[in-house]
Amino acid sequence: MTVDLVAKRVTDLLAPQVLVITMPPAVGLIAHGWSGAAWGLAASALCGGVPAAVIALGVRSGRLDSHHIVDRTRRTGPLLAAVAAVLVALVLLVALGAPTLLVATVTAMLVALAVTVPVTMRWKISFHAAVCAGTVVVLAHVLPAVPTGLAGAAVVALVCWARVRLAHHTWAQVVAGALVGVAATWATLAAFGIR
């Protein structure tokens, strides 16, 4: 495999929509068993599935360049769909009595979007790095924190490298994304009393 192919595989396997779809059920299962996994599936269907469908339709119609939306100017519609989907998920989870950890996780997604969406309108902050870093913070709350944090930091660094290697971002853009992901997620979980 060439270095560029490795970078492409990393960027595809750890894309925001992949992590947003897989992380909530996994976290729900670890923290609350099968009922938590079911809550997580509901969250991932809305938070990840709806935006992924919007992006897929955009790619199919030719309005979007790829599911990574490399052209920053084309991100507005899919991002607004993501914000709407996360808001709907949050309202439903709260109304139906979902576990606090999953409500906090979806709230963290919304907080991260509240920071990254306005930024990306002017500067191409990395959503790959933000979502990956936020995922690590959530996983470190349900798995042993130190090994999860160390392994997660290595994965975030790999994602950042891949995005820069493919010339989709600069180092400043991926570092900013990772910092937003960590800060937004950590602060949100702390606000919910999840330590």
Side-chain angles (χ1 to χ4, degrees), residues 136-191:
V136 171
V137 172
V138 174
L139 290 174
H141 280 78
V142 295
L143 296 170
V146 173
T148 303
L150 291 173
V155 172
V156 171
L158 181 64
V159 167
C160 291
W161 165 82
R163 301 304 286 157
V164 172
R165 174 69 191 188
L166 295 173
H168 292 175
H169 289 287
T170 65
W171 278 106
Q173 291 165 340
V174 294
V175 169
L179 291 174
V180 167
V182 167
T185 307
W186 183 85
T188 304
L189 294 181

Side-chain angles (χ1 to χ4, degrees), residues 17 46-48 50-59 63-86 113 117 120-121 127:
Q17 53 271 58
L46 288 165
C47 297
V50 170
V54 168
I55 292 168
L57 289 171
V59 171
R63 287 180 284 116
L64 300 176
D65 51 45
S66 74
H67 64 280
H68 298 301
I69 316 176
V70 176
D71 180 358
R72 180 182 57 82
T73 63
R74 302 288 183 165
R75 288 181 167 188
T76 305
L79 287 174
L80 292 176
V83 169
V86 172
L113 284 169
V117 169
T120 203
M121 298 304 159
F127 284 90

Side-chain angles (χ1 to χ4, degrees), residues 23-29 31-32 35-44 47 89-90 93 98-109 138 189 192 194:
M23 184 261 293
V27 167
L29 179 64
H32 301 285
S35 68
W39 284 110
L41 281 172
S44 68
C47 297
L90 186 56
L93 290 175
T100 302
L101 178 60
L102 287 168
V103 172
T105 299
V106 173
T107 303
M109 292 178 195
V138 174
L189 294 181
F192 274 82
I194 299 169

